[in-house]
């Protein structure tokens, strides 16, 4: 379902630093983002940083028009879960966002769609906005199974209902486009975003924002953002360079 922007959903450009950074590198990156944040215009800017750097992000971004979050969250509130980080702990660091079900976690850590939905619930319970990632592999796409796979990934999320859906963000990230330099064409991306939008609409949550992710750069951002159901971007590699990330955000304008 394509929607016009007569009732616009606010655009969101979110960086996913993955396991990159150091105190020194982050200081330069965050400083560059703060200095250039106005280039994003009406688009919201956010960065999802590694856990150890949440306090650094909190201090560097306090008072700036850039919010921050984490890349994963435990389903548990507390307890003997070595290595896990709870949603309440993220809230302690004023996180606004947490990624749930990034394809790297689904693939490398065996996260099921049911677990991803439970993580989204945990995030919502602590007042965070989960950014739930879905996407097909190249084999899925080549087999004509992209919508089927994404539909399966969405099912436990959609089952959470309209209220929960209205308090989250979805991200469509085709696995074959993440970190590969190969981006979905705007038409390919829009087709999946339209499918996701229709699925959300059936649950009464048509206004939930849907980000596109997968080798987004300043050079391809404007064409993606011109699509009616693409509400922004989840940006990996290009979010590590302040000027490139800000140029992506500026492409919304
Ligand atoms: C991501 O990590 O979510 C991502 C989209 O990475 P990249 O932009 O590097 O493809």
């Amino acid at each position: 379902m394509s929607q016009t922007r007569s009732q616009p959903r606010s655009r969101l450009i979110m960086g996913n630093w993955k396991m990159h950074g150091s105190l020194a590198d982050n200081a330069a990156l965050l400083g560059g983002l703060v200095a250039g944040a106005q280039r994003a215009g009406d688009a919201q800017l956010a960065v999802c940083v590694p856990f150890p750097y949440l306090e650094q992000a909190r201090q560097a971004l306090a008072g700036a028009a850039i919010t921050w979050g984490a890349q994963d969250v435990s389903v548990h509130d507390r307890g003997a879960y070595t290595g896990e980080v709870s949603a309440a702990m993220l809230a302690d660091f004023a996180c606004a966002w947490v990624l749930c079900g990034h394809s790297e976690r689904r693939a490398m850590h065996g996260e099921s769609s049911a677990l991803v939905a439970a993580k989204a619930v945990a995030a919502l319970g602590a007042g965070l906005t989960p950014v739930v990632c879905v996407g097909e592999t190249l084999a899925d796409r080549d087999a004509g199974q992209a919508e089927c796979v994404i539909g399966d990934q969405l099912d436990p999320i959609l089952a959470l209902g309209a209220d929960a859906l209205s308090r989250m963000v979805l991200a469509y990230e085709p696995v074959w486009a993440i970190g590969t330099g190969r981006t979905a064409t705007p038409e390919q991306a829009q087709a999946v975003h339209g499918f996701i939008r229709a699925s959300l609409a059936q649950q009464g949550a048509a206004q939930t924002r849907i980000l596109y992710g997968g080798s987004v750069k300043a050079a391809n951002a404007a064409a993606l953002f011109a699509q009616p159901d693409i509400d922004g971007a989840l940006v990996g590699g290009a979010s590590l360079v302040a000027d490139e990330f800000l140029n992506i955000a500026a492409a919304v304008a």
Side-chain angles (χ1 to χ4, degrees), residues 16 18 102 104 173 177-180 213-216 234-238:
N16 171 18
K18 311 196 190 197
H102 189 280
E104 288 155 12
E173 298 205 301
I178 296 178
T180 60
S215 298
V216 175
L234 182 55
V235 185

mmCIF file with all atom_site columns, all heavy atoms in Angstrom, residues 16 18 102 104 173 177-180 213-216 234-238, ligand 1:
data_model
loop_
_atom_site.group_PDB
_atom_site.id
_atom_site.type_symbol
_atom_site.label_atom_id
_atom_site.label_alt_id
_atom_site.label_comp_id
_atom_site.label_asym_id
_atom_site.label_entity_id
_atom_site.label_seq_id
_atom_site.pdbx_PDB_ins_code
_atom_site.Cartn_x
_atom_site.Cartn_y
_atom_site.Cartn_z
_atom_site.occupancy
_atom_site.B_iso_or_equiv
_atom_site.pdbx_formal_charge
_atom_site.auth_seq_id
_atom_site.auth_comp_id
_atom_site.auth_asym_id
_atom_site.auth_atom_id
_atom_site.pdbx_PDB_model_num
ATOM   1   N N   . ASN A 1 16  ? 23.886 2.676   12.457 1.00 0.00 ? 16  ASN A N   1
ATOM   2   C CA  . ASN A 1 16  ? 24.204 1.453   13.201 1.00 0.00 ? 16  ASN A CA  1
ATOM   3   C C   . ASN A 1 16  ? 25.716 1.287   13.124 1.00 0.00 ? 16  ASN A C   1
ATOM   4   O O   . ASN A 1 16  ? 26.243 0.882   12.092 1.00 0.00 ? 16  ASN A O   1
ATOM   5   C CB  . ASN A 1 16  ? 23.490 0.252   12.580 1.00 0.00 ? 16  ASN A CB  1
ATOM   6   C CG  . ASN A 1 16  ? 23.962 -1.069  13.187 1.00 0.00 ? 16  ASN A CG  1
ATOM   7   O OD1 . ASN A 1 16  ? 24.554 -1.086  14.256 1.00 0.00 ? 16  ASN A OD1 1
ATOM   8   N ND2 . ASN A 1 16  ? 23.700 -2.174  12.489 1.00 0.00 ? 16  ASN A ND2 1
ATOM   9   N N   . LYS A 1 18  ? 27.527 -0.805  14.504 1.00 0.00 ? 18  LYS A N   1
ATOM   10  C CA  . LYS A 1 18  ? 27.981 -2.201  14.662 1.00 0.00 ? 18  LYS A CA  1
ATOM   11  C C   . LYS A 1 18  ? 29.143 -2.239  15.664 1.00 0.00 ? 18  LYS A C   1
ATOM   12  O O   . LYS A 1 18  ? 29.164 -1.440  16.607 1.00 0.00 ? 18  LYS A O   1
ATOM   13  C CB  . LYS A 1 18  ? 28.371 -2.810  13.316 1.00 0.00 ? 18  LYS A CB  1
ATOM   14  C CG  . LYS A 1 18  ? 27.305 -2.589  12.238 1.00 0.00 ? 18  LYS A CG  1
ATOM   15  C CD  . LYS A 1 18  ? 27.498 -3.482  11.060 1.00 0.00 ? 18  LYS A CD  1
ATOM   16  C CE  . LYS A 1 18  ? 26.560 -3.054  9.935  1.00 0.00 ? 18  LYS A CE  1
ATOM   17  N NZ  . LYS A 1 18  ? 26.393 -4.070  8.928  1.00 0.00 ? 18  LYS A NZ  1
ATOM   18  N N   . HIS A 1 102 ? 18.479 -7.487  14.114 1.00 0.00 ? 102 HIS A N   1
ATOM   19  C CA  . HIS A 1 102 ? 19.332 -7.183  12.958 1.00 0.00 ? 102 HIS A CA  1
ATOM   20  C C   . HIS A 1 102 ? 19.741 -8.509  12.313 1.00 0.00 ? 102 HIS A C   1
ATOM   21  O O   . HIS A 1 102 ? 19.970 -9.510  13.010 1.00 0.00 ? 102 HIS A O   1
ATOM   22  C CB  . HIS A 1 102 ? 20.557 -6.396  13.409 1.00 0.00 ? 102 HIS A CB  1
ATOM   23  C CG  . HIS A 1 102 ? 21.359 -5.863  12.261 1.00 0.00 ? 102 HIS A CG  1
ATOM   24  N ND1 . HIS A 1 102 ? 22.233 -6.653  11.561 1.00 0.00 ? 102 HIS A ND1 1
ATOM   25  C CD2 . HIS A 1 102 ? 21.393 -4.651  11.680 1.00 0.00 ? 102 HIS A CD2 1
ATOM   26  C CE1 . HIS A 1 102 ? 22.779 -5.933  10.588 1.00 0.00 ? 102 HIS A CE1 1
ATOM   27  N NE2 . HIS A 1 102 ? 22.291 -4.708  10.648 1.00 0.00 ? 102 HIS A NE2 1
ATOM   28  N N   . GLU A 1 104 ? 22.407 -9.610  11.266 1.00 0.00 ? 104 GLU A N   1
ATOM   29  C CA  . GLU A 1 104 ? 23.657 -10.205 11.772 1.00 0.00 ? 104 GLU A CA  1
ATOM   30  C C   . GLU A 1 104 ? 23.395 -10.978 13.061 1.00 0.00 ? 104 GLU A C   1
ATOM   31  O O   . GLU A 1 104 ? 24.045 -11.994 13.326 1.00 0.00 ? 104 GLU A O   1
ATOM   32  C CB  . GLU A 1 104 ? 24.713 -9.100  11.951 1.00 0.00 ? 104 GLU A CB  1
ATOM   33  C CG  . GLU A 1 104 ? 25.215 -8.623  10.589 1.00 0.00 ? 104 GLU A CG  1
ATOM   34  C CD  . GLU A 1 104 ? 25.777 -7.221  10.560 1.00 0.00 ? 104 GLU A CD  1
ATOM   35  O OE1 . GLU A 1 104 ? 26.015 -6.625  11.631 1.00 0.00 ? 104 GLU A OE1 1
ATOM   36  O OE2 . GLU A 1 104 ? 25.970 -6.708  9.435  1.00 0.00 ? 104 GLU A OE2 1
ATOM   37  N N   . GLU A 1 173 ? 15.758 -4.585  5.654  1.00 0.00 ? 173 GLU A N   1
ATOM   38  C CA  . GLU A 1 173 ? 17.163 -4.669  5.284  1.00 0.00 ? 173 GLU A CA  1
ATOM   39  C C   . GLU A 1 173 ? 17.415 -5.979  4.546  1.00 0.00 ? 173 GLU A C   1
ATOM   40  O O   . GLU A 1 173 ? 17.609 -7.024  5.182  1.00 0.00 ? 173 GLU A O   1
ATOM   41  C CB  . GLU A 1 173 ? 18.049 -4.619  6.527  1.00 0.00 ? 173 GLU A CB  1
ATOM   42  C CG  . GLU A 1 173 ? 17.914 -3.336  7.320  1.00 0.00 ? 173 GLU A CG  1
ATOM   43  C CD  . GLU A 1 173 ? 19.176 -3.068  8.131  1.00 0.00 ? 173 GLU A CD  1
ATOM   44  O OE1 . GLU A 1 173 ? 19.540 -3.919  8.958  1.00 0.00 ? 173 GLU A OE1 1
ATOM   45  O OE2 . GLU A 1 173 ? 19.800 -2.032  7.907  1.00 0.00 ? 173 GLU A OE2 1
ATOM   46  N N   . ALA A 1 177 ? 22.072 -6.880  0.684  1.00 0.00 ? 177 ALA A N   1
ATOM   47  C CA  . ALA A 1 177 ? 22.480 -5.484  0.466  1.00 0.00 ? 177 ALA A CA  1
ATOM   48  C C   . ALA A 1 177 ? 23.244 -4.914  1.648  1.00 0.00 ? 177 ALA A C   1
ATOM   49  O O   . ALA A 1 177 ? 23.724 -3.783  1.575  1.00 0.00 ? 177 ALA A O   1
ATOM   50  C CB  . ALA A 1 177 ? 21.244 -4.622  0.192  1.00 0.00 ? 177 ALA A CB  1
ATOM   51  N N   . ILE A 1 178 ? 23.368 -5.674  2.732  1.00 0.00 ? 178 ILE A N   1
ATOM   52  C CA  . ILE A 1 178 ? 23.999 -5.129  3.937  1.00 0.00 ? 178 ILE A CA  1
ATOM   53  C C   . ILE A 1 178 ? 25.503 -5.292  3.844  1.00 0.00 ? 178 ILE A C   1
ATOM   54  O O   . ILE A 1 178 ? 26.021 -6.413  3.757  1.00 0.00 ? 178 ILE A O   1
ATOM   55  C CB  . ILE A 1 178 ? 23.468 -5.821  5.209  1.00 0.00 ? 178 ILE A CB  1
ATOM   56  C CG1 . ILE A 1 178 ? 21.978 -5.519  5.374  1.00 0.00 ? 178 ILE A CG1 1
ATOM   57  C CG2 . ILE A 1 178 ? 24.236 -5.352  6.438  1.00 0.00 ? 178 ILE A CG2 1
ATOM   58  C CD1 . ILE A 1 178 ? 21.347 -6.188  6.574  1.00 0.00 ? 178 ILE A CD1 1
ATOM   59  N N   . GLY A 1 179 ? 26.197 -4.163  3.831  1.00 0.00 ? 179 GLY A N   1
ATOM   60  C CA  . GLY A 1 179 ? 27.654 -4.161  3.832  1.00 0.00 ? 179 GLY A CA  1
ATOM   61  C C   . GLY A 1 179 ? 28.263 -4.689  2.549  1.00 0.00 ? 179 GLY A C   1
ATOM   62  O O   . GLY A 1 179 ? 29.457 -4.972  2.506  1.00 0.00 ? 179 GLY A O   1
ATOM   63  N N   . THR A 1 180 ? 27.457 -4.821  1.511  1.00 0.00 ? 180 THR A N   1
ATOM   64  C CA  . THR A 1 180 ? 27.955 -5.398  0.267  1.00 0.00 ? 180 THR A CA  1
ATOM   65  C C   . THR A 1 180 ? 28.210 -4.349  -0.805 1.00 0.00 ? 180 THR A C   1
ATOM   66  O O   . THR A 1 180 ? 28.802 -4.651  -1.836 1.00 0.00 ? 180 THR A O   1
ATOM   67  C CB  . THR A 1 180 ? 26.919 -6.388  -0.313 1.00 0.00 ? 180 THR A CB  1
ATOM   68  O OG1 . THR A 1 180 ? 25.702 -5.666  -0.556 1.00 0.00 ? 180 THR A OG1 1
ATOM   69  C CG2 . THR A 1 180 ? 26.657 -7.539  0.640  1.00 0.00 ? 180 THR A CG2 1
ATOM   70  N N   . GLY A 1 213 ? 17.359 -0.271  4.860  1.00 0.00 ? 213 GLY A N   1
ATOM   71  C CA  . GLY A 1 213 ? 18.772 -0.402  5.158  1.00 0.00 ? 213 GLY A CA  1
ATOM   72  C C   . GLY A 1 213 ? 19.444 -1.363  4.204  1.00 0.00 ? 213 GLY A C   1
ATOM   73  O O   . GLY A 1 213 ? 18.870 -2.391  3.818  1.00 0.00 ? 213 GLY A O   1
ATOM   74  N N   . GLY A 1 214 ? 20.682 -1.044  3.843  1.00 0.00 ? 214 GLY A N   1
ATOM   75  C CA  . GLY A 1 214 ? 21.451 -1.903  2.942  1.00 0.00 ? 214 GLY A CA  1
ATOM   76  C C   . GLY A 1 214 ? 22.261 -1.038  2.006  1.00 0.00 ? 214 GLY A C   1
ATOM   77  O O   . GLY A 1 214 ? 21.766 -0.623  0.964  1.00 0.00 ? 214 GLY A O   1
ATOM   78  N N   . SER A 1 215 ? 23.511 -0.733  2.433  1.00 0.00 ? 215 SER A N   1
ATOM   79  C CA  . SER A 1 215 ? 24.432 0.046   1.604  1.00 0.00 ? 215 SER A CA  1
ATOM   80  C C   . SER A 1 215 ? 23.855 1.397   1.184  1.00 0.00 ? 215 SER A C   1
ATOM   81  O O   . SER A 1 215 ? 24.069 1.843   0.048  1.00 0.00 ? 215 SER A O   1
ATOM   82  C CB  . SER A 1 215 ? 24.876 -0.771  0.381  1.00 0.00 ? 215 SER A CB  1
ATOM   83  O OG  . SER A 1 215 ? 25.573 -1.942  0.794  1.00 0.00 ? 215 SER A OG  1
ATOM   84  N N   . VAL A 1 216 ? 23.123 2.033   2.105  1.00 0.00 ? 216 VAL A N   1
ATOM   85  C CA  . VAL A 1 216 ? 22.646 3.392   1.815  1.00 0.00 ? 216 VAL A CA  1
ATOM   86  C C   . VAL A 1 216 ? 23.832 4.346   1.898  1.00 0.00 ? 216 VAL A C   1
ATOM   87  O O   . VAL A 1 216 ? 24.636 4.292   2.824  1.00 0.00 ? 216 VAL A O   1
ATOM   88  C CB  . VAL A 1 216 ? 21.545 3.826   2.813  1.00 0.00 ? 216 VAL A CB  1
ATOM   89  C CG1 . VAL A 1 216 ? 21.147 5.283   2.558  1.00 0.00 ? 216 VAL A CG1 1
ATOM   90  C CG2 . VAL A 1 216 ? 20.334 2.912   2.702  1.00 0.00 ? 216 VAL A CG2 1
ATOM   91  N N   . LEU A 1 234 ? 18.284 3.013   7.776  1.00 0.00 ? 234 LEU A N   1
ATOM   92  C CA  . LEU A 1 234 ? 19.172 2.438   8.788  1.00 0.00 ? 234 LEU A CA  1
ATOM   93  C C   . LEU A 1 234 ? 20.512 2.256   8.075  1.00 0.00 ? 234 LEU A C   1
ATOM   94  O O   . LEU A 1 234 ? 20.587 1.520   7.083  1.00 0.00 ? 234 LEU A O   1
ATOM   95  C CB  . LEU A 1 234 ? 18.611 1.121   9.311  1.00 0.00 ? 234 LEU A CB  1
ATOM   96  C CG  . LEU A 1 234 ? 19.403 0.412   10.408 1.00 0.00 ? 234 LEU A CG  1
ATOM   97  C CD1 . LEU A 1 234 ? 19.660 1.312   11.609 1.00 0.00 ? 234 LEU A CD1 1
ATOM   98  C CD2 . LEU A 1 234 ? 18.673 -0.850  10.861 1.00 0.00 ? 234 LEU A CD2 1
ATOM   99  N N   . VAL A 1 235 ? 21.519 2.933   8.570  1.00 0.00 ? 235 VAL A N   1
ATOM   100 C CA  . VAL A 1 235 ? 22.769 3.087   7.832  1.00 0.00 ? 235 VAL A CA  1
ATOM   101 C C   . VAL A 1 235 ? 23.919 2.472   8.616  1.00 0.00 ? 235 VAL A C   1
ATOM   102 O O   . VAL A 1 235 ? 24.163 2.867   9.762  1.00 0.00 ? 235 VAL A O   1
ATOM   103 C CB  . VAL A 1 235 ? 23.064 4.592   7.598  1.00 0.00 ? 235 VAL A CB  1
ATOM   104 C CG1 . VAL A 1 235 ? 24.308 4.747   6.731  1.00 0.00 ? 235 VAL A CG1 1
ATOM   105 C CG2 . VAL A 1 235 ? 21.863 5.292   6.966  1.00 0.00 ? 235 VAL A CG2 1
ATOM   106 N N   . GLY A 1 236 ? 24.611 1.523   8.025  1.00 0.00 ? 236 GLY A N   1
ATOM   107 C CA  . GLY A 1 236 ? 25.752 0.911   8.678  1.00 0.00 ? 236 GLY A CA  1
ATOM   108 C C   . GLY A 1 236 ? 27.044 1.656   8.358  1.00 0.00 ? 236 GLY A C   1
ATOM   109 O O   . GLY A 1 236 ? 27.357 2.678   8.956  1.00 0.00 ? 236 GLY A O   1
ATOM   110 N N   . GLY A 1 237 ? 27.778 1.154   7.384  1.00 0.00 ? 237 GLY A N   1
ATOM   111 C CA  . GLY A 1 237 ? 29.110 1.681   7.079  1.00 0.00 ? 237 GLY A CA  1
ATOM   112 C C   . GLY A 1 237 ? 29.154 3.192   6.905  1.00 0.00 ? 237 GLY A C   1
ATOM   113 O O   . GLY A 1 237 ? 30.063 3.855   7.430  1.00 0.00 ? 237 GLY A O   1
ATOM   114 N N   . ALA A 1 238 ? 28.185 3.732   6.204  1.00 0.00 ? 238 ALA A N   1
ATOM   115 C CA  . ALA A 1 238 ? 28.215 5.171   5.918  1.00 0.00 ? 238 ALA A CA  1
ATOM   116 C C   . ALA A 1 238 ? 27.904 6.021   7.149  1.00 0.00 ? 238 ALA A C   1
ATOM   117 O O   . ALA A 1 238 ? 28.088 7.237   7.111  1.00 0.00 ? 238 ALA A O   1
ATOM   118 C CB  . ALA A 1 238 ? 27.237 5.501   4.788  1.00 0.00 ? 238 ALA A CB  1
HETATM 119 C C1  . LIG B 2 .   ? 23.182 -2.192  8.741  1.00 0.00 ? 1   LIG B C1  1
HETATM 120 O O1  . LIG B 2 .   ? 24.128 -2.540  9.430  1.00 0.00 ? 1   LIG B O1  1
HETATM 121 O O2  . LIG B 2 .   ? 22.052 -2.176  9.239  1.00 0.00 ? 1   LIG B O2  1
HETATM 122 C C2  . LIG B 2 .   ? 23.427 -1.788  7.358  1.00 0.00 ? 1   LIG B C2  1
HETATM 123 C C3  . LIG B 2 .   ? 22.431 -1.472  6.602  1.00 0.00 ? 1   LIG B C3  1
HETATM 124 O O3  . LIG B 2 .   ? 24.750 -1.755  6.956  1.00 0.00 ? 1   LIG B O3  1
HETATM 125 P P1  . LIG B 2 .   ? 25.317 -1.085  5.603  1.00 0.00 ? 1   LIG B P1  1
HETATM 126 O O4  . LIG B 2 .   ? 24.683 0.288   5.496  1.00 0.00 ? 1   LIG B O4  1
HETATM 127 O O5  . LIG B 2 .   ? 26.790 -1.006  5.804  1.00 0.00 ? 1   LIG B O5  1
HETATM 128 O O6  . LIG B 2 .   ? 24.915 -1.953  4.466  1.00 0.00 ? 1   LIG B O6  1
#
